[in-house]
Amino acid sequence: DVKVTQSSRYLVKRTGEKVFLECVQDMDHENMFWYRQDPGLGLRLIYFSYDVKMKEKGDIPEGYSVSREKKERFSLILESASTNQTSMYLCASSFGDGYGYTFGSGTRLTVV
Amino acid sequence: AQKITQTQPGMFVQEKEAVTLDCTYDTSDQSYGLFWYKQPSSGEMIFLIYQGSYDEQNATEGRYSLNFQKARKSANLVISASQLGDSAMYFCAMRGANTGNQFYFGTGTSLTVIP
């Protein structure tokens, strides 16, 4: 089975810290995505990547950046964490056109 | 622009009964795919069922079926014989031909199965 692994299930960080959320997939998927999930808002796309060293902004990229140095790893970076970035972060990957997503188990980030 | 609407924030169903979760969508794409995901309290998103816009038959996967009405732009999920383990958040999602591999999600419906 395809597996998408997010390095942390729960994370607590202080305001102003630089935060790294890591996501690794093990099935050579081309596409990787970062979403944040908030009650009543559903899932909103932050950034995505179709290839190594390639990135595209999603609907809410402000305050975030990403890195994809290797095909299997897609990192989400909060340059200076703020309390409004407290959320559930979900990573997903897919093989290509016409394929569905496989999700990681999510990271619940709390910024205090 | 793509939009997914789920109008039921919360639903309750008696164990062993059937339940329908609503989903409507808006897209200008002629070709698109519709997906349903389940999210238990553990947080992981689990793929349930897929319907392509050109599929003539409604999709079914075990106890899950998708009631696809293209003209009404609706893709409701039907869960038959509900079980306690079905209690979870359910998300409807769409991918359009012109959106690449990006999915658009609804706001979700929280389903509680009552014993």
Side-chain angles (χ1 to χ4, degrees), chain B residues 59-89:
Chain B
T60 59
E61 290 286 346
R63 294 187 298 110
Y64 304 109
S65 60
L66 201 151
N67 184 359
F68 181 48
Q69 298 186 44
K70 193 171 182 178
R72 298 180 61 185
K73 293 190 173 180
S74 75
N76 298 338
L77 178 70
V78 181
I79 305 174
S80 62
S82 297
Q83 302 172 356
L84 296 179
D86 294 335
S87 294
M89 282 290 289

mmCIF file of all heavy atoms in Angstrom, chain B residues 59-89:
data_model
loop_
_atom_site.group_PDB
_atom_site.id
_atom_site.type_symbol
_atom_site.label_atom_id
_atom_site.label_comp_id
_atom_site.label_asym_id
_atom_site.label_seq_id
_atom_site.Cartn_x
_atom_site.Cartn_y
_atom_site.Cartn_z
ATOM 1 N N ALA B 59 -21.514 4.919 -8.954
ATOM 2 C CA ALA B 59 -20.451 4.127 -8.345
ATOM 3 C C ALA B 59 -20.947 3.455 -7.067
ATOM 4 O O ALA B 59 -21.770 4.008 -6.329
ATOM 5 C CB ALA B 59 -19.261 5.022 -8.028
ATOM 6 N N THR B 60 -20.458 2.252 -6.833
ATOM 7 C CA THR B 60 -20.752 1.557 -5.576
ATOM 8 C C THR B 60 -19.476 0.901 -5.071
ATOM 9 O O THR B 60 -18.643 0.424 -5.854
ATOM 10 C CB THR B 60 -21.832 0.468 -5.745
ATOM 11 O OG1 THR B 60 -21.352 -0.482 -6.712
ATOM 12 C CG2 THR B 60 -23.135 1.054 -6.235
ATOM 13 N N GLU B 61 -19.306 0.884 -3.751
ATOM 14 C CA GLU B 61 -18.181 0.227 -3.093
ATOM 15 C C GLU B 61 -18.690 -0.334 -1.784
ATOM 16 O O GLU B 61 -18.783 0.364 -0.790
ATOM 17 C CB GLU B 61 -17.032 1.209 -2.823
ATOM 18 C CG GLU B 61 -16.272 1.700 -4.005
ATOM 19 C CD GLU B 61 -15.342 0.643 -4.593
ATOM 20 O OE1 GLU B 61 -15.107 -0.386 -3.911
ATOM 21 O OE2 GLU B 61 -14.867 0.850 -5.723
ATOM 22 N N GLY B 62 -19.075 -1.601 -1.813
ATOM 23 C CA GLY B 62 -19.578 -2.203 -0.584
ATOM 24 C C GLY B 62 -20.840 -1.511 -0.104
ATOM 25 O O GLY B 62 -21.832 -1.432 -0.825
ATOM 26 N N ARG B 63 -20.794 -0.986 1.117
ATOM 27 C CA ARG B 63 -21.981 -0.309 1.673
ATOM 28 C C ARG B 63 -22.114 1.143 1.208
ATOM 29 O O ARG B 63 -23.092 1.818 1.570
ATOM 30 C CB ARG B 63 -21.920 -0.355 3.201
ATOM 31 C CG ARG B 63 -22.031 -1.740 3.803
ATOM 32 C CD ARG B 63 -22.126 -1.703 5.321
ATOM 33 N NE ARG B 63 -20.947 -1.119 5.936
ATOM 34 C CZ ARG B 63 -20.926 0.060 6.538
ATOM 35 N NH1 ARG B 63 -22.029 0.801 6.628
ATOM 36 N NH2 ARG B 63 -19.805 0.523 7.083
ATOM 37 N N TYR B 64 -21.140 1.616 0.431
ATOM 38 C CA TYR B 64 -21.170 2.992 -0.053
ATOM 39 C C TYR B 64 -21.651 3.025 -1.500
ATOM 40 O O TYR B 64 -21.223 2.215 -2.316
ATOM 41 C CB TYR B 64 -19.781 3.616 0.014
ATOM 42 C CG TYR B 64 -19.146 3.588 1.379
ATOM 43 C CD1 TYR B 64 -18.075 2.742 1.641
ATOM 44 C CD2 TYR B 64 -19.621 4.400 2.408
ATOM 45 C CE1 TYR B 64 -17.487 2.707 2.893
ATOM 46 C CE2 TYR B 64 -19.032 4.372 3.664
ATOM 47 C CZ TYR B 64 -17.973 3.521 3.898
ATOM 48 O OH TYR B 64 -17.389 3.493 5.135
ATOM 49 N N SER B 65 -22.522 3.957 -1.783
ATOM 50 C CA SER B 65 -22.903 4.211 -3.169
ATOM 51 C C SER B 65 -23.000 5.719 -3.356
ATOM 52 O O SER B 65 -23.193 6.482 -2.406
ATOM 53 C CB SER B 65 -24.230 3.530 -3.510
ATOM 54 O OG SER B 65 -25.263 4.013 -2.690
ATOM 55 N N LEU B 66 -22.805 6.108 -4.595
ATOM 56 C CA LEU B 66 -22.825 7.529 -4.920
ATOM 57 C C LEU B 66 -24.027 7.781 -5.816
ATOM 58 O O LEU B 66 -24.105 7.200 -6.907
ATOM 59 C CB LEU B 66 -21.507 7.926 -5.605
ATOM 60 C CG LEU B 66 -21.135 9.402 -5.560
ATOM 61 C CD1 LEU B 66 -19.623 9.571 -5.597
ATOM 62 C CD2 LEU B 66 -21.779 10.137 -6.722
ATOM 63 N N ASN B 67 -24.921 8.627 -5.372
ATOM 64 C CA ASN B 67 -26.101 8.986 -6.156
ATOM 65 C C ASN B 67 -25.743 10.206 -6.995
ATOM 66 O O ASN B 67 -25.813 11.348 -6.532
ATOM 67 C CB ASN B 67 -27.272 9.282 -5.212
ATOM 68 C CG ASN B 67 -28.542 9.570 -5.990
ATOM 69 O OD1 ASN B 67 -28.546 9.559 -7.236
ATOM 70 N ND2 ASN B 67 -29.621 9.830 -5.288
ATOM 71 N N PHE B 68 -25.355 9.936 -8.240
ATOM 72 C CA PHE B 68 -24.831 10.977 -9.130
ATOM 73 C C PHE B 68 -25.947 11.481 -10.020
ATOM 74 O O PHE B 68 -26.508 10.728 -10.817
ATOM 75 C CB PHE B 68 -23.690 10.406 -9.967
ATOM 76 C CG PHE B 68 -23.043 11.366 -10.919
ATOM 77 C CD1 PHE B 68 -22.661 12.628 -10.516
ATOM 78 C CD2 PHE B 68 -22.789 10.983 -12.233
ATOM 79 C CE1 PHE B 68 -22.043 13.505 -11.385
ATOM 80 C CE2 PHE B 68 -22.173 11.850 -13.125
ATOM 81 C CZ PHE B 68 -21.801 13.117 -12.701
ATOM 82 N N GLN B 69 -26.271 12.768 -9.906
ATOM 83 C CA GLN B 69 -27.268 13.397 -10.763
ATOM 84 C C GLN B 69 -26.590 14.572 -11.457
ATOM 85 O O GLN B 69 -26.508 15.679 -10.909
ATOM 86 C CB GLN B 69 -28.474 13.836 -9.939
ATOM 87 C CG GLN B 69 -29.179 12.658 -9.281
ATOM 88 C CD GLN B 69 -30.468 13.072 -8.590
ATOM 89 O OE1 GLN B 69 -31.260 13.842 -9.135
ATOM 90 N NE2 GLN B 69 -30.679 12.565 -7.391
ATOM 91 N N LYS B 70 -26.123 14.299 -12.656
ATOM 92 C CA LYS B 70 -25.264 15.254 -13.364
ATOM 93 C C LYS B 70 -25.984 16.562 -13.658
ATOM 94 O O LYS B 70 -25.407 17.638 -13.525
ATOM 95 C CB LYS B 70 -24.755 14.606 -14.654
ATOM 96 C CG LYS B 70 -23.623 15.331 -15.327
ATOM 97 C CD LYS B 70 -23.055 14.487 -16.449
ATOM 98 C CE LYS B 70 -21.882 15.181 -17.099
ATOM 99 N NZ LYS B 70 -21.286 14.332 -18.171
ATOM 100 N N ALA B 71 -27.221 16.477 -14.097
ATOM 101 C CA ALA B 71 -27.957 17.692 -14.470
ATOM 102 C C ALA B 71 -28.159 18.600 -13.244
ATOM 103 O O ALA B 71 -28.166 19.822 -13.355
ATOM 104 C CB ALA B 71 -29.298 17.322 -15.074
ATOM 105 N N ARG B 72 -28.296 17.989 -12.089
ATOM 106 C CA ARG B 72 -28.483 18.761 -10.856
ATOM 107 C C ARG B 72 -27.164 19.079 -10.184
ATOM 108 O O ARG B 72 -27.135 19.754 -9.151
ATOM 109 C CB ARG B 72 -29.381 17.988 -9.889
ATOM 110 C CG ARG B 72 -30.772 17.729 -10.397
ATOM 111 C CD ARG B 72 -31.585 16.961 -9.393
ATOM 112 N NE ARG B 72 -31.736 17.702 -8.136
ATOM 113 C CZ ARG B 72 -32.332 17.209 -7.057
ATOM 114 N NH1 ARG B 72 -32.816 15.979 -7.063
ATOM 115 N NH2 ARG B 72 -32.421 17.935 -5.956
ATOM 116 N N LYS B 73 -26.073 18.556 -10.741
ATOM 117 C CA LYS B 73 -24.742 18.746 -10.174
ATOM 118 C C LYS B 73 -24.718 18.324 -8.707
ATOM 119 O O LYS B 73 -24.287 19.068 -7.827
ATOM 120 C CB LYS B 73 -24.264 20.193 -10.343
ATOM 121 C CG LYS B 73 -24.024 20.564 -11.799
ATOM 122 C CD LYS B 73 -23.330 21.903 -11.954
ATOM 123 C CE LYS B 73 -22.961 22.138 -13.416
ATOM 124 N NZ LYS B 73 -22.286 23.437 -13.617
ATOM 125 N N SER B 74 -25.211 17.123 -8.480
ATOM 126 C CA SER B 74 -25.159 16.604 -7.116
ATOM 127 C C SER B 74 -24.516 15.227 -7.114
ATOM 128 O O SER B 74 -24.605 14.461 -8.088
ATOM 129 C CB SER B 74 -26.553 16.548 -6.493
ATOM 130 O OG SER B 74 -27.291 15.471 -7.012
ATOM 131 N N ALA B 75 -23.849 14.915 -6.023
ATOM 132 C CA ALA B 75 -23.108 13.647 -5.881
ATOM 133 C C ALA B 75 -23.228 13.188 -4.436
ATOM 134 O O ALA B 75 -22.272 13.226 -3.666
ATOM 135 C CB ALA B 75 -21.647 13.839 -6.277
ATOM 136 N N ASN B 76 -24.417 12.749 -4.090
ATOM 137 C CA ASN B 76 -24.685 12.391 -2.696
ATOM 138 C C ASN B 76 -24.129 11.016 -2.355
ATOM 139 O O ASN B 76 -24.202 10.081 -3.149
ATOM 140 C CB ASN B 76 -26.181 12.410 -2.420
ATOM 141 C CG ASN B 76 -26.773 13.788 -2.626
ATOM 142 O OD1 ASN B 76 -26.078 14.794 -2.579
ATOM 143 N ND2 ASN B 76 -28.074 13.823 -2.859
ATOM 144 N N LEU B 77 -23.603 10.891 -1.161
ATOM 145 C CA LEU B 77 -23.095 9.609 -0.669
ATOM 146 C C LEU B 77 -24.184 8.908 0.130
ATOM 147 O O LEU B 77 -24.786 9.514 1.022
ATOM 148 C CB LEU B 77 -21.876 9.824 0.223
ATOM 149 C CG LEU B 77 -21.275 8.562 0.850
ATOM 150 C CD1 LEU B 77 -20.607 7.698 -0.210
ATOM 151 C CD2 LEU B 77 -20.281 8.927 1.958
ATOM 152 N N VAL B 78 -24.427 7.666 -0.197
ATOM 153 C CA VAL B 78 -25.402 6.861 0.534
ATOM 154 C C VAL B 78 -24.644 5.757 1.267
ATOM 155 O O VAL B 78 -23.884 5.004 0.649
ATOM 156 C CB VAL B 78 -26.461 6.245 -0.398
ATOM 157 C CG1 VAL B 78 -27.461 5.429 0.416
ATOM 158 C CG2 VAL B 78 -27.177 7.339 -1.181
ATOM 159 N N ILE B 79 -24.840 5.685 2.556
ATOM 160 C CA ILE B 79 -24.250 4.619 3.352
ATOM 161 C C ILE B 79 -25.392 3.719 3.809
ATOM 162 O O ILE B 79 -26.338 4.178 4.481
ATOM 163 C CB ILE B 79 -23.503 5.156 4.587
ATOM 164 C CG1 ILE B 79 -22.448 6.187 4.177
ATOM 165 C CG2 ILE B 79 -22.845 4.007 5.360
ATOM 166 C CD1 ILE B 79 -21.757 6.874 5.353
ATOM 167 N N SER B 80 -25.338 2.476 3.436
ATOM 168 C CA SER B 80 -26.405 1.541 3.823
ATOM 169 C C SER B 80 -25.997 0.799 5.099
ATOM 170 O O SER B 80 -24.808 0.667 5.398
ATOM 171 C CB SER B 80 -26.672 0.542 2.704
ATOM 172 O OG SER B 80 -25.514 -0.236 2.468
ATOM 173 N N ALA B 81 -26.978 0.354 5.857
ATOM 174 C CA ALA B 81 -26.733 -0.455 7.058
ATOM 175 C C ALA B 81 -25.639 0.156 7.926
ATOM 176 O O ALA B 81 -24.590 -0.456 8.155
ATOM 177 C CB ALA B 81 -26.386 -1.890 6.654
ATOM 178 N N SER B 82 -25.895 1.361 8.419
ATOM 179 C CA SER B 82 -24.874 2.108 9.177
ATOM 180 C C SER B 82 -24.341 1.299 10.358
ATOM 181 O O SER B 82 -25.079 0.566 11.033
ATOM 182 C CB SER B 82 -25.473 3.415 9.704
ATOM 183 O OG SER B 82 -25.854 4.246 8.649
ATOM 184 N N GLN B 83 -23.056 1.491 10.605
ATOM 185 C CA GLN B 83 -22.379 0.841 11.729
ATOM 186 C C GLN B 83 -21.774 1.905 12.633
ATOM 187 O O GLN B 83 -21.519 3.028 12.195
ATOM 188 C CB GLN B 83 -21.265 -0.088 11.196
ATOM 189 C CG GLN B 83 -21.755 -1.152 10.249
ATOM 190 C CD GLN B 83 -20.620 -1.918 9.587
ATOM 191 O OE1 GLN B 83 -19.431 -1.612 9.782
ATOM 192 N NE2 GLN B 83 -20.967 -2.930 8.800
ATOM 193 N N LEU B 84 -21.520 1.551 13.868
ATOM 194 C CA LEU B 84 -20.951 2.516 14.812
ATOM 195 C C LEU B 84 -19.630 3.085 14.299
ATOM 196 O O LEU B 84 -19.309 4.256 14.507
ATOM 197 C CB LEU B 84 -20.765 1.872 16.183
ATOM 198 C CG LEU B 84 -22.040 1.423 16.890
ATOM 199 C CD1 LEU B 84 -21.708 0.780 18.224
ATOM 200 C CD2 LEU B 84 -23.011 2.589 17.092
ATOM 201 N N GLY B 85 -18.873 2.246 13.603
ATOM 202 C CA GLY B 85 -17.592 2.683 13.053
ATOM 203 C C GLY B 85 -17.715 3.681 11.912
ATOM 204 O O GLY B 85 -16.701 4.224 11.465
ATOM 205 N N ASP B 86 -18.929 3.930 11.441
ATOM 206 C CA ASP B 86 -19.131 4.932 10.394
ATOM 207 C C ASP B 86 -19.147 6.347 10.960
ATOM 208 O O ASP B 86 -19.123 7.326 10.203
ATOM 209 C CB ASP B 86 -20.455 4.679 9.662
ATOM 210 C CG ASP B 86 -20.448 3.384 8.875
ATOM 211 O OD1 ASP B 86 -19.351 2.917 8.484
ATOM 212 O OD2 ASP B 86 -21.542 2.812 8.655
ATOM 213 N N SER B 87 -19.188 6.497 12.270
ATOM 214 C CA SER B 87 -19.171 7.828 12.877
ATOM 215 C C SER B 87 -17.854 8.513 12.526
ATOM 216 O O SER B 87 -16.768 8.010 12.867
ATOM 217 C CB SER B 87 -19.323 7.728 14.396
ATOM 218 O OG SER B 87 -20.595 7.233 14.739
ATOM 219 N N ALA B 88 -17.930 9.631 11.841
ATOM 220 C CA ALA B 88 -16.730 10.309 11.333
ATOM 221 C C ALA B 88 -17.156 11.571 10.603
ATOM 222 O O ALA B 88 -18.342 11.842 10.431
ATOM 223 C CB ALA B 88 -15.958 9.398 10.368
ATOM 224 N N MET B 89 -16.155 12.338 10.160
ATOM 225 C CA MET B 89 -16.396 13.436 9.219
ATOM 226 C C MET B 89 -16.310 12.866 7.806
ATOM 227 O O MET B 89 -15.464 12.012 7.523
ATOM 228 C CB MET B 89 -15.326 14.519 9.367
ATOM 229 C CG MET B 89 -15.505 15.440 10.546
ATOM 230 S SD MET B 89 -16.926 16.532 10.345
ATOM 231 C CE MET B 89 -16.337 17.652 9.062
#
